Structures are given as structure tokens and as C-alpha cells.
Amino acid sequence: NAGVTQTPKFQVLKTGQSMTLQCAQDMNHNSMYWYRQDPGMGLRLIYYSASEGTTDKGEVPNGYNVSRLNKREFSLRLESAAPSQTSVYFCASSEMAEAFFGQGTRLTVV
Amino acid sequence: GIQVEQSPPDLILQEGANSTLRCNFSDSVNNLQWFHQNPWGQLINLFYIPSGTKQNGRLSATTVATERYSLLYISSSQTTDSGVYFCAVGGYSGNTPLVFGKGTRLSVIA
């Protein structure tokens, strides 16, 4: 049982480049989330999708877009990467209770 | 929004010692989880505990929802317990995203 799968695990981008982080879950959960983790800050919510077809902004949405492609998949797009977006990104899913996290994507913007 | 405070921010223990980590939150919640982030960055679910007490081996947790705090107990600590422990809470509707504290960094020394 894979749970929550994120790709890629590591990525280096140049300032101004774009990329999409992929997330898929196989637990039939309705809700999915994107967080970023910076040193000493804990995890902060970027966007979430309470159910297929809906998305909402979290605490730090600027510079990001999301797509809930179907019930399984929730992608995070950086249209024009900036050094301030250097971080570790986590995807999660839940169904009215316990949330489960992917292994993270370590993104460096140079 | 909900505020989550964890204490202490850092803790150094000798192997075999016991410890208590605290999580205070500012509002009513229907979801509270404890996570361990290992040195490789993986977030491991420890407890889903919006109220009551649970135990899993050397770890146990108690949440007193009416007083807005939760405690994580680690007994007979081992070097593999090292890492960061996060408390995260969710508000009162079913799939409200988790809000994370800044974590407690635990170092267990042999």
C-alpha cells in the first residue's frame, strides 16, 4: 500500500523556471493538502482541496497554483520560481480524521 | 486561526531517560495528531488523538481537549527516537487542514 506518493523527490530550478510537483494517493481520501517546511517554521499550508473539484488557499499561497486532477491526484505548480520558494514540500491526504503525508520534495531555487 | 505552541523547543536526553513534550492550542479542535520527523525528513504518524489517552510501545499520548493541551510521553528513550516531534491540530469541521506547531527537536545521546 503506497499511501501518498510525491514526485520528484529532489529538484533544482533556476530563478524564473516553472515546474509542477505531483502528488497521488491510493487511500480514496477526499481531502488533499500541500504544505511547505522551512527551518524552524514547522509546516505551513499552501493550498488544500476538501474534495474533488474544489481548491482553497492556505496560509502561504502566493507564487503557487494547484490542480485537483481527479480524486487521487493533486498537483502544485510554480509558474516562475524564486529563491524564497526553496523549501521542502509535503503533500498529504485525509478523510474526516487522520492525515497521512508523502515523503516530501526537496526543492532548491538558485 | 488556531495557534499551536509546543514546548520545549529543544531537548537533549541521555539514552534510557524519560521525557514529556507539550502541545497547547488556542481553540476547540476535532483532530490532533503527533508526528515524528526522522533525520531523513520523513513524517511518521505517531498518534491520532483528539481526546483521551493512547499508548504504543514506549510512547503514549494524552489530550485534554477541554483544557486545550496534549502531552506526548517517551519512556526509556533510544537514539532512534531522535528527530523533531510535531503536534498538529484541525478545527471543528471534518476536513479542516492541520495547523502545525514549530516542533520539539529531541536529541538522544548514547
Side-chain angles (χ1 to χ4, degrees), chain B residues 11-106:
Chain B
L11 187 59
I12 301 174
L13 295 177
Q14 204 72 32
E15 199 169 27
N18 303 327
S19 63
T20 301
L21 282 58
R22 187 175 180 101
C23 172
N24 292 331
F25 45 95
S26 62
D27 206 345
S28 300
V29 299
N30 76 335
N31 183 359
L32 190 145
Q33 292 184 237
W34 283 97
F35 298 89
H36 175 216
Q37 188 168 41
N38 63 22
W40 295 270
Q42 187 179 6
L43 280 167
I44 298 165
N45 288 35
L46 296 178
F47 294 102
Y48 168 71
I49 187 165
S51 63
T53 298
K54 291 186 178 179
Q55 180 156 6
N56 184 3
R58 296 182 295 104
L59 274 60
S60 63
T62 294
T63 298
V64 183
T66 53
E67 296 188 21
R68 300 181 183 170
Y69 73 89
S70 183
L71 302 174
L72 178 69
Y73 305 97
I74 305 174
S75 64
S76 304
S77 58
Q78 301 175 357
T79 56
T80 52
D81 295 330
S82 295
V84 182
Y85 290 80
F86 288 105
C87 170
V89 303
Y92 220 75
S93 65
N95 280 324
T96 305
L98 291 174
V99 176
F100 280 74
K102 293 186 178 182
T104 292
R105 181 173 298 278
L106 175 65

Coordinates of all heavy atoms in Angstrom, one line a residue, chain B residues 11-106:
Chain B
L11 N 15.4 19.6 23.2 CA 15.6 18.7 24.4 C 16.7 17.7 24.1 O 16.7 17.1 23.0 CB 14.2 17.9 24.6 CG 14.1 17.0 25.8 CD1 14.3 17.8 27.1 CD2 12.7 16.4 25.8
I12 N 17.6 17.6 25.0 CA 18.7 16.6 24.9 C 18.6 15.6 26.1 O 18.5 16.0 27.2 CB 20.1 17.3 25.0 CG1 20.2 18.3 23.8 CG2 21.2 16.3 24.9 CD1 21.4 19.2 23.9
L13 N 18.6 14.3 25.7 CA 18.4 13.3 26.7 C 19.5 12.3 26.7 O 20.0 12.0 25.6 CB 17.1 12.6 26.5 CG 15.7 13.3 26.7 CD1 14.6 12.4 26.3 CD2 15.6 13.8 28.1
Q14 N 19.8 11.7 27.8 CA 20.7 10.5 27.8 C 19.8 9.3 27.5 O 18.6 9.2 27.9 CB 21.2 10.4 29.2 CG 22.5 9.6 29.3 CD 23.7 10.4 28.8 OE1 23.7 11.6 28.8 NE2 24.7 9.7 28.2
E15 N 20.3 8.4 26.8 CA 19.6 7.1 26.4 C 19.1 6.5 27.7 O 19.8 6.4 28.7 CB 20.6 6.2 25.7 CG 19.9 5.1 24.9 CD 20.9 4.3 24.0 OE1 22.1 4.3 24.4 OE2 20.4 3.8 23.0
G16 N 17.8 6.1 27.6 CA 17.2 5.5 28.8 C 16.3 6.4 29.6 O 15.5 6.0 30.4
A17 N 16.5 7.7 29.4 CA 15.7 8.7 30.2 C 14.3 8.8 29.6 O 14.0 8.4 28.5 CB 16.4 10.1 30.1
N18 N 13.4 9.4 30.4 CA 12.0 9.6 30.0 C 11.8 11.1 29.7 O 12.6 12.0 30.2 CB 11.0 9.2 31.1 CG 11.2 7.8 31.5 OD1 11.5 6.9 30.7 ND2 11.0 7.5 32.8
S19 N 10.8 11.4 28.9 CA 10.5 12.8 28.6 C 9.1 13.1 28.4 O 8.3 12.1 28.0 CB 11.4 13.3 27.4 OG 11.0 12.6 26.2
T20 N 8.7 14.3 28.5 CA 7.3 14.8 28.2 C 7.3 16.0 27.3 O 8.0 17.0 27.7 CB 6.5 15.1 29.5 OG1 6.5 14.0 30.4 CG2 5.1 15.5 29.2
L21 N 6.6 15.9 26.2 CA 6.5 17.0 25.3 C 5.1 17.6 25.4 O 4.1 16.8 25.5 CB 6.8 16.6 23.8 CG 8.3 16.3 23.4 CD1 9.0 15.3 24.3 CD2 8.3 15.9 22.0
R22 N 5.0 18.9 25.3 CA 3.7 19.5 25.5 C 3.3 20.2 24.2 O 4.1 20.8 23.5 CB 3.7 20.5 26.7 CG 2.3 21.0 27.0 CD 2.4 21.9 28.3 NE 1.1 22.4 28.6 CZ 0.3 21.9 29.5 NH1 0.7 20.9 30.3 NH2 -0.9 22.4 29.8
C23 N 1.9 20.2 24.0 CA 1.3 21.0 22.9 C 0.1 21.7 23.4 O -0.8 21.1 23.9 CB 0.9 20.0 21.8 SG -0.1 20.7 20.4
N24 N 0.1 23.0 23.3 CA -1.0 23.8 23.7 C -1.7 24.4 22.4 O -1.0 24.8 21.5 CB -0.6 25.0 24.6 CG -0.1 24.6 25.9 OD1 -0.5 23.6 26.5 ND2 0.8 25.4 26.5
F25 N -3.0 24.5 22.4 CA -3.7 25.0 21.3 C -4.8 26.0 21.7 O -5.3 25.9 22.8 CB -4.2 23.9 20.3 CG -4.9 22.8 21.0 CD1 -6.3 22.8 21.2 CD2 -4.2 21.7 21.5 CE1 -6.9 21.7 21.8 CE2 -4.8 20.6 22.2 CZ -6.2 20.7 22.3
S26 N -5.1 26.9 20.8 CA -5.9 28.1 21.2 C -7.4 28.0 21.0 O -8.1 28.9 21.5 CB -5.4 29.3 20.4 OG -5.6 29.1 19.0
D27 N -7.9 26.9 20.4 CA -9.3 26.8 20.2 C -9.7 25.3 20.2 O -8.9 24.4 20.3 CB -9.6 27.4 18.8 CG -11.1 28.0 18.7 OD1 -11.9 27.6 19.6 OD2 -11.3 28.7 17.8
S28 N -11.1 25.1 20.1 CA -11.6 23.7 20.1 C -11.1 23.1 18.8 O -11.1 23.7 17.8 CB -13.1 23.8 20.1 OG -13.5 24.4 21.3
V29 N -10.8 21.8 18.9 CA -10.3 21.0 17.8 C -11.1 19.7 17.7 O -11.5 19.2 18.7 CB -8.8 20.8 17.8 CG1 -8.0 22.1 17.8 CG2 -8.4 19.9 19.0
N30 N -11.1 19.1 16.5 CA -11.7 17.8 16.4 C -10.6 16.8 15.8 O -10.9 15.7 15.5 CB -12.9 17.8 15.5 CG -12.6 17.9 14.0 OD1 -11.6 18.4 13.7 ND2 -13.5 17.4 13.2
N31 N -9.4 17.3 15.7 CA -8.3 16.5 15.2 C -7.0 16.9 15.8 O -6.7 18.1 15.9 CB -8.2 16.6 13.6 CG -7.1 15.7 13.1 OD1 -6.4 15.0 13.8 ND2 -7.0 15.8 11.7
L32 N -6.3 16.0 16.4 CA -5.0 16.3 16.9 C -4.1 15.1 16.6 O -4.4 14.0 16.8 CB -5.0 16.6 18.4 CG -3.7 17.1 19.0 CD1 -3.9 18.1 20.1 CD2 -2.7 16.0 19.4
Q33 N -2.9 15.4 16.0 CA -2.0 14.3 15.6 C -0.6 14.7 16.1 O -0.2 15.9 16.1 CB -2.0 14.1 14.1 CG -3.2 13.5 13.6 CD -3.1 13.2 12.1 OE1 -3.9 13.7 11.3 NE2 -2.2 12.4 11.7
W34 N 0.1 13.6 16.5 CA 1.6 13.8 16.8 C 2.3 13.1 15.7 O 2.0 11.9 15.3 CB 1.9 13.1 18.1 CG 1.5 13.9 19.3 CD1 0.4 13.8 20.1 CD2 2.3 15.0 19.9 NE1 0.4 14.7 21.1 CE2 1.5 15.5 21.1 CE3 3.5 15.6 19.7 CZ2 2.0 16.5 21.9 CZ3 4.0 16.6 20.5 CH2 3.2 17.0 21.6
F35 N 3.4 13.7 15.2 CA 4.3 13.2 14.2 C 5.7 13.2 14.7 O 6.1 14.1 15.5 CB 4.2 14.0 12.9 CG 2.9 14.1 12.3 CD1 2.0 15.1 12.6 CD2 2.6 13.2 11.3 CE1 0.8 15.2 11.9 CE2 1.3 13.3 10.6 CZ 0.4 14.3 11.0
H36 N 6.5 12.2 14.2 CA 7.9 12.2 14.4 C 8.6 12.4 13.0 O 8.3 11.7 12.1 CB 8.4 10.9 15.0 CG 9.9 10.8 15.1 ND1 10.5 9.6 14.9 CD2 10.8 11.7 15.4 CE1 11.8 9.7 15.1 NE2 12.0 11.0 15.4
Q37 N 9.4 13.5 12.9 CA 10.1 13.7 11.7 C 11.5 13.1 11.9 O 12.3 13.7 12.7 CB 10.2 15.1 11.2 CG 10.8 15.3 9.8 CD 10.6 16.7 9.3 OE1 10.7 17.7 10.0 NE2 10.3 16.7 8.0
N38 N 11.9 12.1 11.2 CA 13.2 11.4 11.4 C 14.3 12.2 10.7 O 14.0 13.2 10.0 CB 13.1 9.9 11.0 CG 12.9 9.8 9.5 OD1 13.1 10.7 8.7 ND2 12.4 8.6 9.1
P39 N 15.5 11.8 10.9 CA 16.6 12.6 10.4 C 16.6 12.6 8.8 O 17.3 13.5 8.2 CB 17.9 11.9 10.9 CG 17.4 11.3 12.2 CD 16.0 10.9 12.0
W40 N 15.9 11.7 8.2 CA 15.8 11.7 6.7 C 14.6 12.6 6.2 O 14.4 12.7 5.1 CB 15.6 10.3 6.2 CG 16.9 9.5 6.5 CD1 18.0 9.3 5.8 CD2 17.1 8.8 7.7 NE1 18.9 8.5 6.4 CE2 18.4 8.2 7.6 CE3 16.3 8.5 8.9 CZ2 18.9 7.4 8.6 CZ3 16.9 7.7 9.9 CH2 18.2 7.2 9.8
G41 N 13.9 13.2 7.2 CA 12.9 14.2 6.8 C 11.5 13.6 6.7 O 10.5 14.3 6.4
Q42 N 11.4 12.3 6.9 CA 10.1 11.6 6.7 C 9.2 11.9 7.9 O 9.7 11.9 9.1 CB 10.3 10.1 6.6 CG 9.1 9.3 6.3 CD 9.4 7.8 6.2 OE1 10.5 7.4 6.4 NE2 8.4 7.0 5.8
L43 N 7.9 12.2 7.7 CA 6.9 12.4 8.7 C 6.2 11.1 9.0 O 5.5 10.6 8.2 CB 5.9 13.5 8.3 CG 6.3 14.9 8.4 CD1 5.4 15.8 7.6 CD2 6.5 15.4 9.8
I44 N 6.4 10.7 10.3 CA 5.8 9.4 10.7 C 4.6 9.7 11.6 O 4.8 10.4 12.6 CB 6.9 8.6 11.4 CG1 8.0 8.3 10.4 CG2 6.3 7.3 11.9 CD1 9.2 7.7 11.0
N45 N 3.5 9.1 11.3 CA 2.3 9.3 12.2 C 2.6 8.5 13.5 O 2.8 7.3 13.5 CB 1.1 8.7 11.6 CG 0.6 9.6 10.4 OD1 1.4 10.2 9.7 ND2 -0.7 9.7 10.3
L46 N 2.5 9.2 14.7 CA 2.6 8.6 15.9 C 1.2 8.3 16.5 O 0.9 7.2 16.9 CB 3.4 9.4 16.9 CG 4.8 9.7 16.5 CD1 5.5 10.6 17.6 CD2 5.6 8.3 16.4
F47 N 0.4 9.3 16.7 CA -0.9 9.2 17.3 C -1.9 10.2 16.6 O -1.6 11.3 16.3 CB -0.9 9.6 18.8 CG -0.1 8.7 19.6 CD1 1.2 9.0 20.0 CD2 -0.6 7.4 20.0 CE1 1.9 8.1 20.8 CE2 0.1 6.6 20.8 CZ 1.4 6.9 21.2
Y48 N -3.1 9.6 16.4 CA -4.3 10.4 16.1 C -5.1 10.5 17.4 O -5.6 9.4 17.8 CB -5.1 9.8 15.0 CG -6.4 10.5 14.8 CD1 -6.6 11.7 14.3 CD2 -7.6 9.8 15.1 CE1 -7.8 12.3 14.1 CE2 -8.8 10.3 15.0 CZ -8.9 11.6 14.5 OH -10.2 12.2 14.3
I49 N -5.1 11.6 18.1 CA -5.6 11.7 19.5 C -6.4 13.0 19.8 O -5.8 13.8 20.5 CB -4.5 11.3 20.5 CG1 -5.1 11.2 21.9 CG2 -3.3 12.3 20.4 CD1 -4.1 10.5 22.9
P50 N -7.6 13.2 19.2 CA -8.3 14.4 19.5 C -8.7 14.5 21.0 O -9.0 15.6 21.5 CB -9.5 14.4 18.6 CG -9.6 13.0 18.1 CD -8.2 12.4 18.2
S51 N -8.8 13.4 21.6 CA -9.1 13.3 23.1 C -8.7 12.0 23.7 O -8.5 11.0 22.9 CB -10.6 13.6 23.3 OG -11.3 12.5 22.8
G52 N -8.5 12.0 25.0 CA -8.2 10.7 25.6 C -6.8 10.4 25.7 O -5.9 11.2 25.5
T53 N -6.5 9.1 25.9 CA -5.1 8.6 26.1 C -4.9 7.4 25.2 O -5.8 6.5 25.1 CB -4.9 8.2 27.6 OG1 -5.0 9.4 28.4 CG2 -3.5 7.6 27.7
K54 N -3.7 7.3 24.6 CA -3.3 6.1 23.8 C -1.9 5.8 24.1 O -1.1 6.6 24.5 CB -3.5 6.4 22.3 CG -4.9 6.6 21.8 CD -4.9 6.7 20.3 CE -6.4 6.8 19.8 NZ -6.4 7.0 18.3
Q55 N -1.6 4.5 23.9 CA -0.2 4.0 24.1 C 0.2 3.2 22.9 O -0.6 2.4 22.4 CB -0.1 3.3 25.4 CG 1.3 2.8 25.7 CD 1.6 2.5 27.2 OE1 0.7 2.6 28.0 NE2 2.8 2.2 27.5
N56 N 1.5 3.3 22.6 CA 2.0 2.5 21.5 C 3.5 2.2 21.9 O 4.4 3.0 21.7 CB 2.0 3.1 20.2 CG 2.5 2.2 19.1 OD1 2.8 1.1 19.3 ND2 2.5 2.8 17.8
G57 N 3.7 1.0 22.6 CA 5.0 0.7 23.0 C 5.6 1.7 24.0 O 4.9 1.9 25.1
R58 N 6.7 2.3 23.8 CA 7.3 3.2 24.8 C 6.7 4.6 24.7 O 7.0 5.5 25.5 CB 8.8 3.3 24.5 CG 9.6 2.0 24.7 CD 11.1 2.2 24.5 NE 11.3 2.5 23.1 CZ 11.6 3.7 22.6 NH1 11.7 4.8 23.5 NH2 11.9 3.9 21.3
L59 N 5.9 4.8 23.7 CA 5.2 6.1 23.5 C 3.8 6.1 24.0 O 3.1 5.1 23.8 CB 5.3 6.5 22.1 CG 6.5 7.3 21.6 CD1 7.8 6.4 21.7 CD2 6.3 7.7 20.1
S60 N 3.4 7.2 24.6 CA 2.0 7.4 24.9 C 1.6 8.8 24.8 O 2.5 9.7 24.8 CB 1.6 6.9 26.3 OG 2.3 7.6 27.3
A61 N 0.3 9.1 24.6 CA -0.1 10.5 24.4 C -1.5 10.7 25.2 O -2.3 9.7 25.2 CB -0.3 10.8 23.0
T62 N -1.6 11.9 25.7 CA -2.9 12.2 26.3 C -3.3 13.6 25.8 O -2.5 14.5 25.7 CB -2.7 12.3 27.8 OG1 -2.4 11.0 28.3 CG2 -4.0 12.9 28.5
T63 N -4.6 13.7 25.4 CA -5.1 15.0 25.0 C -6.3 15.4 26.0 O -7.2 14.5 26.1 CB -5.6 15.0 23.6 OG1 -4.5 14.8 22.7 CG2 -6.3 16.3 23.2
V64 N -6.2 16.6 26.6 CA -7.3 17.1 27.4 C -7.9 18.2 26.6 O -7.5 19.4 26.7 CB -6.8 17.5 28.8 CG1 -8.0 18.0 29.6 CG2 -6.1 16.4 29.5
A65 N -8.9 17.9 25.8 CA -9.5 18.8 24.8 C -10.1 20.0 25.5 O -10.0 21.2 25.0 CB -10.5 18.1 23.9
T66 N -10.7 19.8 26.7 CA -11.4 20.9 27.4 C -10.4 21.9 27.9 O -10.7 23.1 28.1 CB -12.2 20.4 28.5 OG1 -11.4 19.6 29.4 CG2 -13.4 19.6 28.0
E67 N -9.2 21.5 28.1 CA -8.1 22.4 28.6 C -7.1 22.8 27.5 O -6.2 23.5 27.8 CB -7.4 21.8 29.8 CG -8.4 21.6 31.0 CD -7.7 21.2 32.3 OE1 -6.5 21.4 32.4 OE2 -8.3 20.6 33.2
R68 N -7.4 22.3 26.3 CA -6.6 22.7 25.1 C -5.1 22.4 25.2 O -4.3 23.2 25.0 CB -6.9 24.1 24.8 CG -8.4 24.4 24.5 CD -8.6 25.8 24.1 NE -10.1 26.0 23.9 CZ -10.7 27.2 23.8 NH1 -9.9 28.3 23.8 NH2 -11.9 27.3 23.6
Y69 N -4.8 21.1 25.6 CA -3.4 20.7 25.6 C -3.3 19.2 25.3 O -4.3 18.5 25.6 CB -2.7 21.1 26.8 CG -3.0 20.3 28.0 CD1 -2.3 19.1 28.3 CD2 -4.0 20.7 28.9 CE1 -2.6 18.4 29.5 CE2 -4.3 20.0 30.1 CZ -3.6 18.8 30.3 OH -3.8 18.1 31.4
S70 N -2.2 18.8 24.8 CA -1.8 17.4 24.6 C -0.4 17.2 25.1 O 0.4 18.1 25.0 CB -2.0 17.0 23.2 OG -1.8 15.7 23.0
L71 N -0.2 16.0 25.6 CA 1.2 15.6 26.1 C 1.6 14.3 25.3 O 0.8 13.4 25.2 CB 1.2 15.4 27.6 CG 0.7 16.5 28.4 CD1 0.6 16.1 29.9 CD2 1.7 17.7 28.3
L72 N 2.9 14.3 25.0 CA 3.5 13.1 24.4 C 4.6 12.6 25.4 O 5.5 13.4 25.7 CB 4.1 13.4 23.0 CG 4.8 12.2 22.3 CD1 3.8 11.1 21.9 CD2 5.6 12.7 21.1
Y73 N 4.4 11.4 25.8 CA 5.4 10.8 26.7 C 6.3 9.8 26.0 O 5.8 8.9 25.2 CB 4.7 10.0 27.8 CG 3.7 10.8 28.6 CD1 2.4 10.7 28.3 CD2 4.1 11.6 29.7 CE1 1.4 11.5 29.0 CE2 3.1 12.3 30.4 CZ 1.8 12.2 30.1 OH 0.9 13.0 30.8
I74 N 7.6 9.9 26.2 CA 8.6 9.0 25.6 C 9.3 8.4 26.8 O 9.9 9.1 27.6 CB 9.6 9.7 24.7 CG1 8.8 10.4 23.6 CG2 10.5 8.6 24.1 CD1 9.7 11.2 22.7
S75 N 9.2 7.1 26.9 CA 9.9 6.4 28.1 C 11.1 5.6 27.5 O 11.1 5.2 26.4 CB 8.9 5.5 28.8 OG 8.5 4.4 28.0
S76 N 12.1 5.4 28.4 CA 13.3 4.7 28.1 C 13.8 5.0 26.7 O 13.9 4.2 25.8 CB 13.0 3.2 28.1 OG 12.5 2.8 29.4
S77 N 14.1 6.3 26.5 CA 14.4 6.8 25.2 C 15.6 6.1 24.5 O 16.5 5.6 25.2 CB 14.7 8.3 25.2 OG 15.7 8.6 26.1
Q78 N 15.6 6.0 23.2 CA 16.7 5.4 22.4 C 17.2 6.4 21.4 O 16.5 7.3 21.1 CB 16.1 4.1 21.7 CG 15.6 3.1 22.7 CD 14.9 1.9 22.0 OE1 14.8 1.9 20.8 NE2 14.5 0.9 22.8
T79 N 18.4 6.1 20.9 CA 18.9 7.1 19.9 C 18.1 7.2 18.7 O 18.0 8.3 18.1 CB 20.4 6.7 19.5 OG1 20.3 5.3 19.0 CG2 21.3 6.7 20.7
T80 N 17.3 6.2 18.4 CA 16.4 6.2 17.2 C 15.2 7.1 17.4 O 14.5 7.4 16.5 CB 16.0 4.8 16.8 OG1 15.4 4.2 18.0 CG2 17.1 4.0 16.3
D81 N 15.0 7.6 18.7 CA 13.9 8.5 19.0 C 14.3 9.9 18.5 O 13.4 10.8 18.5 CB 13.6 8.5 20.4 CG 13.0 7.2 20.9 OD1 12.3 6.5 20.1 OD2 13.2 6.8 22.1
S82 N 15.5 10.2 18.2 CA 16.0 11.5 17.9 C 15.2 12.0 16.6 O 14.8 11.2 15.8 CB 17.5 11.5 17.6 OG 18.2 11.2 18.8
G83 N 15.1 13.3 16.6 CA 14.4 13.9 15.5 C 13.5 15.1 16.0 O 13.7 15.6 17.1
V84 N 12.6 15.5 15.2 CA 11.7 16.5 15.6 C 10.2 16.0 15.7 O 9.8 15.2 14.9 CB 11.6 17.7 14.5 CG1 10.7 18.8 15.0 CG2 13.0 18.2 14.3
Y85 N 9.6 16.4 16.8 CA 8.2 15.9 17.1 C 7.3 17.1 16.9 O 7.5 18.1 17.5 CB 8.1 15.4 18.5 CG 8.9 14.1 18.7 CD1 10.3 14.0 18.9 CD2 8.2 12.9 18.7 CE1 10.9 12.8 19.0 CE2 8.8 11.7 18.8 CZ 10.2 11.6 18.9 OH 10.9 10.5 19.0
F86 N 6.3 16.8 16.0 CA 5.3 17.9 15.7 C 4.0 17.5 16.3 O 3.5 16.3 16.2 CB 5.2 18.1 14.2 CG 6.4 18.7 13.6 CD1 7.3 18.0 12.8 CD2 6.5 20.1 13.7 CE1 8.4 18.6 12.2 CE2 7.6 20.7 13.1 CZ 8.5 20.0 12.3
C87 N 3.3 18.5 16.8 CA 1.9 18.4 17.1 C 1.1 19.2 16.0 O 1.6 20.3 15.6 CB 1.6 19.0 18.5 SG -0.1 19.3 19.0
A88 N 0.0 18.7 15.6 CA -0.8 19.4 14.6 C -2.3 19.2 14.9 O -2.7 18.1 15.4 CB -0.5 18.8 13.2
V89 N -3.0 20.3 14.8 CA -4.4 20.3 15.1 C -5.3 20.7 14.0 O -4.9 21.5 13.1 CB -4.7 21.1 16.4 CG1 -3.8 20.7 17.5 CG2 -4.5 22.6 16.1
G90 N -6.5 20.2 14.0 CA -7.5 20.6 13.0 C -8.7 21.1 13.6 O -9.1 20.7 14.7
G91 N -9.4 22.1 13.0 CA -10.5 22.8 13.6 C -11.8 21.9 13.6 O -11.7 20.7 13.4
Y92 N -12.9 22.5 13.8 CA -14.1 21.7 14.2 C -14.8 21.1 13.0 O -15.7 20.2 13.3 CB -15.0 22.5 15.1 CG -15.6 21.7 16.2 CD1 -14.8 21.3 17.2 CD2 -16.8 21.1 16.1 CE1 -15.2 20.5 18.2 CE2 -17.3 20.3 17.0 CZ -16.5 19.9 18.1 OH -16.9 19.1 19.1
S93 N -14.6 21.4 11.8 CA -15.3 20.7 10.7 C -14.4 19.6 10.1 O -13.2 19.7 10.2 CB -15.7 21.7 9.6 OG -14.6 22.2 9.0
G94 N -15.0 18.6 9.6 CA -14.4 17.3 9.3 C -13.0 17.4 8.7 O -12.0 16.8 9.2
N95 N -12.8 18.1 7.5 CA -11.5 18.0 6.8 C -10.8 19.3 6.9 O -10.1 19.7 6.0 CB -11.7 17.6 5.4 CG -11.9 16.1 5.3 OD1 -11.3 15.3 6.0 ND2 -12.7 15.6 4.4
T96 N -10.9 20.1 8.0 CA -10.2 21.3 8.2 C -8.7 20.9 8.2 O -8.3 20.0 8.9 CB -10.5 22.0 9.5 OG1 -11.9 22.2 9.5 CG2 -9.8 23.3 9.7
P97 N -7.9 21.7 7.4 CA -6.5 21.4 7.3 C -5.8 21.4 8.7 O -6.1 22.3 9.5 CB -5.9 22.4 6.4 CG -7.1 22.9 5.6 CD -8.2 22.8 6.5
L98 N -4.8 20.6 8.9 CA -4.0 20.6 10.1 C -3.1 21.9 10.2 O -2.5 22.3 9.2 CB -3.1 19.4 10.2 CG -3.7 18.1 10.3 CD1 -2.7 17.0 10.2 CD2 -4.4 18.0 11.7
V99 N -3.0 22.4 11.4 CA -2.1 23.6 11.7 C -1.0 23.0 12.6 O -1.3 22.3 13.6 CB -2.9 24.7 12.4 CG1 -1.9 25.8 12.8 CG2 -4.0 25.3 11.5
F100 N 0.2 23.2 12.2 CA 1.3 22.6 12.9 C 2.0 23.6 13.9 O 2.0 24.8 13.7 CB 2.4 22.2 11.9 CG 2.1 20.9 11.2 CD1 1.2 20.8 10.2 CD2 2.9 19.8 11.5 CE1 0.9 19.6 9.5 CE2 2.6 18.6 10.9 CZ 1.7 18.5 9.9
G101 N 2.4 23.0 15.0 CA 3.4 23.7 15.8 C 4.8 23.7 15.2 O 5.0 23.1 14.2
K102 N 5.7 24.4 15.9 CA 7.0 24.5 15.3 C 7.9 23.3 15.7 O 9.0 23.2 15.3 CB 7.7 25.8 15.8 CG 7.0 27.1 15.2 CD 7.7 28.3 15.5 CE 7.1 29.5 14.8 NZ 7.7 30.8 15.1
G103 N 7.4 22.5 16.6 CA 8.1 21.2 16.8 C 9.0 21.3 18.1 O 9.4 22.4 18.5
T104 N 9.3 20.1 18.6 CA 10.3 19.9 19.6 C 11.4 19.1 19.0 O 11.2 18.0 18.5 CB 9.8 19.2 20.8 OG1 8.8 20.1 21.5 CG2 10.9 18.8 21.8
R105 N 12.7 19.6 19.0 CA 13.8 18.8 18.5 C 14.4 18.0 19.6 O 14.9 18.6 20.6 CB 14.8 19.8 17.9 CG 16.1 19.0 17.3 CD 17.0 20.0 16.6 NE 16.3 20.6 15.4 CZ 16.2 20.0 14.2 NH1 16.7 18.8 14.0 NH2 15.6 20.7 13.2
L106 N 14.4 16.7 19.5 CA 14.9 15.8 20.5 C 16.2 15.1 20.0 O 16.2 14.6 18.9 CB 13.8 14.7 20.8 CG 14.3 13.6 21.7 CD1 14.5 14.2 23.1 CD2 13.2 12.5 21.8

